[in-house]
Coordinates of all heavy atoms in Angstrom, one line a residue:
R24 N -0.7 11.9 -1.5 CA -1.8 12.9 -1.3 C -3.2 12.2 -1.3 O -3.9 12.4 -0.3 CB -1.8 13.9 -2.4 CG -0.6 14.8 -2.4 CD -0.8 16.1 -3.0 NE 0.5 16.9 -3.1 CZ 1.1 17.4 -2.0 NH1 0.5 17.4 -0.9 NH2 2.2 18.1 -2.2
S25 N -3.5 11.4 -2.3 CA -4.8 10.8 -2.3 C -4.7 9.5 -3.1 O -3.9 9.3 -4.0 CB -5.8 11.7 -3.0 OG -7.0 11.1 -3.2
I26 N -5.7 8.6 -2.8 CA -5.8 7.3 -3.6 C -6.8 7.4 -4.6 O -7.1 6.5 -5.4 CB -6.1 6.1 -2.6 CG1 -7.3 6.4 -1.8 CG2 -4.9 5.8 -1.8 CD1 -7.8 5.2 -1.0
G27 N -7.5 8.6 -4.7 CA -8.5 8.8 -5.7 C -9.7 7.9 -5.5 O -10.1 7.7 -4.3
P28 N -10.2 7.3 -6.5 CA -11.4 6.4 -6.4 C -11.1 5.0 -5.9 O -12.0 4.2 -5.8 CB -12.0 6.4 -7.8 CG -10.8 6.5 -8.7 CD -9.8 7.5 -7.9
Y29 N -9.9 4.7 -5.6 CA -9.5 3.4 -5.3 C -9.7 3.1 -3.8 O -9.6 3.9 -3.0 CB -8.0 3.1 -5.7 CG -7.7 3.4 -7.1 CD1 -7.1 4.5 -7.5 CD2 -8.1 2.5 -8.1 CE1 -6.8 4.8 -8.8 CE2 -7.9 2.8 -9.4 CZ -7.2 3.9 -9.8 OH -7.0 4.2 -11.1
D30 N -9.9 1.8 -3.5 CA -9.9 1.3 -2.1 C -8.5 1.3 -1.6 O -7.6 0.8 -2.2 CB -10.6 -0.1 -2.1 CG -10.6 -0.6 -0.7 OD1 -11.5 -0.2 0.1 OD2 -9.7 -1.4 -0.4
I31 N -8.3 1.9 -0.4 CA -6.9 2.0 0.1 C -6.3 0.6 0.3 O -5.1 0.5 0.1 CB -6.9 2.8 1.4 CG1 -5.4 3.2 1.7 CG2 -7.6 2.1 2.6 CD1 -5.3 4.3 2.7
S32 N -7.0 -0.4 0.7 CA -6.4 -1.7 0.9 C -6.0 -2.3 -0.4 O -4.9 -2.9 -0.5 CB -7.4 -2.7 1.6 OG -8.6 -2.9 0.8
D33 N -6.8 -2.2 -1.5 CA -6.4 -2.7 -2.8 C -5.2 -1.9 -3.3 O -4.2 -2.6 -3.8 CB -7.5 -2.5 -3.8 CG -8.7 -3.4 -3.6 OD1 -8.5 -4.4 -2.9 OD2 -9.8 -3.1 -4.1
Y34 N -5.1 -0.6 -3.1 CA -4.0 0.2 -3.5 C -2.7 -0.3 -2.8 O -1.7 -0.4 -3.4 CB -4.3 1.7 -3.3 CG -3.4 2.6 -4.0 CD1 -3.9 3.3 -5.1 CD2 -2.2 3.0 -3.5 CE1 -3.0 4.2 -5.8 CE2 -1.4 3.9 -4.1 CZ -1.8 4.5 -5.3 OH -1.0 5.4 -5.9
A35 N -2.8 -0.5 -1.5 CA -1.7 -0.8 -0.7 C -1.2 -2.2 -1.1 O 0.1 -2.4 -1.3 CB -2.0 -0.8 0.8
F36 N -2.0 -3.2 -1.3 CA -1.6 -4.5 -1.7 C -1.0 -4.5 -3.1 O 0.0 -5.2 -3.3 CB -2.8 -5.5 -1.6 CG -3.1 -6.0 -0.2 CD1 -4.3 -5.7 0.4 CD2 -2.2 -6.7 0.5 CE1 -4.6 -6.1 1.6 CE2 -2.4 -7.1 1.8 CZ -3.7 -6.8 2.4
K37 N -1.5 -3.8 -4.0 CA -1.0 -3.7 -5.4 C 0.4 -3.0 -5.3 O 1.3 -3.5 -6.0 CB -1.9 -3.0 -6.3 CG -3.1 -3.9 -6.7 CD -4.1 -3.2 -7.6 CE -5.3 -4.1 -7.8 NZ -6.3 -3.4 -8.6
L38 N 0.5 -2.0 -4.6 CA 1.8 -1.3 -4.5 C 2.8 -2.1 -3.9 O 4.0 -2.2 -4.4 CB 1.6 0.0 -3.7 CG 2.8 0.9 -3.6 CD1 3.2 1.4 -4.9 CD2 2.5 2.1 -2.7
G39 N 2.5 -2.8 -2.8 CA 3.4 -3.7 -2.1 C 3.9 -4.9 -3.0 O 5.1 -5.3 -3.0
D40 N 3.0 -5.4 -3.8 CA 3.3 -6.5 -4.7 C 4.2 -6.0 -5.8 O 5.2 -6.6 -6.2 CB 2.0 -7.0 -5.3 CG 2.2 -8.3 -6.1 OD1 3.0 -9.1 -5.7 OD2 1.6 -8.3 -7.3
K41 N 3.9 -4.8 -6.4 CA 4.7 -4.2 -7.4 C 6.2 -3.9 -6.9 O 7.1 -4.1 -7.7 CB 4.1 -2.9 -8.0 CG 4.8 -2.4 -9.1 CD 4.1 -1.2 -9.7 CE 4.9 -0.7 -10.9 NZ 4.2 0.4 -11.6
W42 N 6.3 -3.4 -5.7 CA 7.6 -3.0 -5.2 C 8.3 -4.2 -4.6 O 9.5 -4.1 -4.4 CB 7.4 -1.9 -4.1 CG 7.1 -0.5 -4.7 CD1 6.8 -0.2 -6.0 CD2 7.1 0.7 -4.0 NE1 6.6 1.1 -6.1 CE2 6.7 1.7 -4.9 CE3 7.3 1.0 -2.6 CZ2 6.6 3.0 -4.5 CZ3 7.2 2.3 -2.2 CH2 6.8 3.3 -3.2
G43 N 7.7 -5.3 -4.3 CA 8.3 -6.5 -3.8 C 8.9 -6.2 -2.4 O 10.1 -6.5 -2.2
I44 N 8.1 -5.7 -1.5 CA 8.6 -5.4 -0.2 C 8.8 -6.7 0.6 O 7.9 -7.5 0.6 CB 7.6 -4.4 0.5 CG1 7.6 -3.1 -0.3 CG2 8.0 -4.2 2.0 CD1 6.4 -2.3 0.1
G45 N 9.9 -6.8 1.3 CA 10.2 -8.0 2.1 C 11.0 -9.0 1.3 O 11.4 -8.7 0.2
Q46 N 11.3 -10.1 2.0 CA 12.1 -11.2 1.3 C 11.2 -12.2 0.7 O 10.2 -12.6 1.3 CB 13.0 -11.8 2.3 CG 14.1 -10.9 2.9 CD 14.9 -11.6 4.0 OE1 14.5 -12.7 4.5 NE2 16.0 -11.0 4.4
K47 N 11.5 -12.5 -0.6 CA 10.6 -13.4 -1.3 C 10.3 -14.7 -0.7 O 9.1 -15.1 -0.7 CB 11.3 -13.6 -2.7 CG 10.3 -14.3 -3.7 CD 11.0 -14.3 -5.0 CE 9.9 -14.8 -6.1 NZ 10.4 -14.7 -7.4
D48 N 11.2 -15.3 0.0 CA 11.0 -16.6 0.6 C 10.4 -16.6 1.9 O 10.0 -17.6 2.5 CB 12.3 -17.4 0.6 CG 13.4 -16.7 1.4 OD1 13.3 -15.5 1.5 OD2 14.3 -17.4 1.9
R49 N 10.2 -15.4 2.5 CA 9.7 -15.2 3.9 C 8.4 -14.4 4.0 O 7.8 -14.4 5.0 CB 10.7 -14.6 4.8 CG 11.9 -15.4 5.0 CD 12.8 -14.8 6.0 NE 14.0 -15.6 6.3 CZ 14.9 -15.3 7.0 NH1 14.9 -14.2 7.7 NH2 16.0 -16.1 7.2
D50 N 8.0 -13.7 3.0 CA 6.8 -12.8 3.0 C 6.8 -12.0 4.3 O 5.9 -12.0 5.1 CB 5.5 -13.7 2.9 CG 5.3 -14.2 1.5 OD1 5.8 -13.6 0.6 OD2 4.6 -15.2 1.4
N51 N 7.9 -11.3 4.5 CA 8.1 -10.6 5.8 C 8.1 -9.1 5.6 O 8.8 -8.4 6.3 CB 9.4 -11.0 6.5 CG 10.6 -10.8 5.7 OD1 10.5 -10.5 4.5 ND2 11.7 -10.9 6.3
G52 N 7.4 -8.6 4.6 CA 7.3 -7.2 4.4 C 6.0 -6.6 5.0 O 5.0 -7.2 5.1
V53 N 6.1 -5.3 5.3 CA 5.0 -4.5 5.8 C 5.0 -3.2 5.0 O 6.0 -2.5 4.9 CB 5.1 -4.2 7.3 CG1 4.0 -3.3 7.7 CG2 5.1 -5.5 8.1
L54 N 3.9 -2.8 4.5 CA 3.7 -1.5 3.8 C 2.7 -0.7 4.6 O 1.6 -1.2 4.8 CB 3.2 -1.7 2.4 CG 2.8 -0.4 1.6 CD1 4.1 0.4 1.3 CD2 2.0 -0.7 0.4
I55 N 3.1 0.5 5.0 CA 2.2 1.4 5.7 C 1.9 2.5 4.7 O 2.8 3.3 4.3 CB 2.8 2.0 7.0 CG1 3.2 0.9 7.9 CG2 1.9 3.0 7.6 CD1 4.0 1.3 9.1
L56 N 0.7 2.6 4.2 CA 0.3 3.6 3.2 C -0.6 4.6 3.9 O -1.6 4.3 4.6 CB -0.5 2.9 2.1 CG -1.1 3.8 1.0 CD1 0.0 4.6 0.3 CD2 -2.0 3.0 0.1
A57 N -0.2 5.9 3.7 CA -1.0 7.0 4.3 C -1.4 7.9 3.1 O -0.6 8.4 2.4 CB -0.2 7.8 5.3
A58 N -2.7 8.0 2.9 CA -3.3 8.9 1.9 C -3.7 10.2 2.7 O -4.8 10.2 3.4 CB -4.5 8.3 1.2
M59 N -2.9 11.2 2.7 CA -3.0 12.3 3.6 C -4.3 13.1 3.4 O -5.0 13.4 4.3 CB -1.8 13.3 3.4 CG -0.4 12.5 3.6 SD -0.3 11.7 5.2 CE 0.0 13.1 6.2
E60 N -4.6 13.5 2.1 CA -5.8 14.3 1.9 C -7.1 13.5 2.2 O -8.1 14.0 2.6 CB -5.8 14.8 0.5 CG -4.8 15.9 0.3 CD -4.7 16.4 -1.2 OE1 -5.6 16.0 -2.0 OE2 -3.9 17.3 -1.4
D61 N -7.0 12.2 2.0 CA -8.2 11.3 2.3 C -8.3 11.0 3.7 O -9.3 10.4 4.2 CB -8.1 10.0 1.5 CG -8.0 10.2 0.0 OD1 -8.5 11.2 -0.5 OD2 -7.3 9.4 -0.7
R62 N -7.2 11.2 4.5 CA -7.2 10.9 5.9 C -7.4 9.4 6.2 O -8.2 9.0 7.0 CB -8.2 11.8 6.7 CG -7.9 13.3 6.6 CD -8.9 14.1 7.2 NE -8.9 13.9 8.7 CZ -8.4 14.7 9.6 NH1 -8.0 15.9 9.2 NH2 -8.5 14.4 10.9
K63 N -6.7 8.6 5.4 CA -6.8 7.2 5.5 C -5.4 6.6 5.6 O -4.4 7.0 5.0 CB -7.5 6.6 4.2 CG -8.9 7.0 4.1 CD -9.5 6.3 2.9 CE -11.0 6.7 2.7 NZ -11.6 6.1 1.5
V64 N -5.3 5.5 6.4 CA -4.1 4.8 6.6 C -4.4 3.3 6.5 O -5.4 2.8 7.0 CB -3.4 5.1 7.9 CG1 -2.2 4.2 8.1 CG2 -3.1 6.5 8.1
F65 N -3.5 2.5 5.8 CA -3.7 1.1 5.7 C -2.4 0.4 5.9 O -1.4 0.9 5.4 CB -4.3 0.7 4.4 CG -4.7 -0.8 4.4 CD1 -5.9 -1.2 4.9 CD2 -3.9 -1.7 3.8 CE1 -6.3 -2.5 4.9 CE2 -4.3 -3.1 3.8 CZ -5.5 -3.5 4.3

């Protein structure tokens, strides 16, 4: 719904790091984050 007071890029990078998206040895993950109420995508 919203990222609140956070910067969307910081939020996306932290979320991706926490979830471990992609393969560890290849860094081949992509996270598409959409904050619908904020009308922001990163």
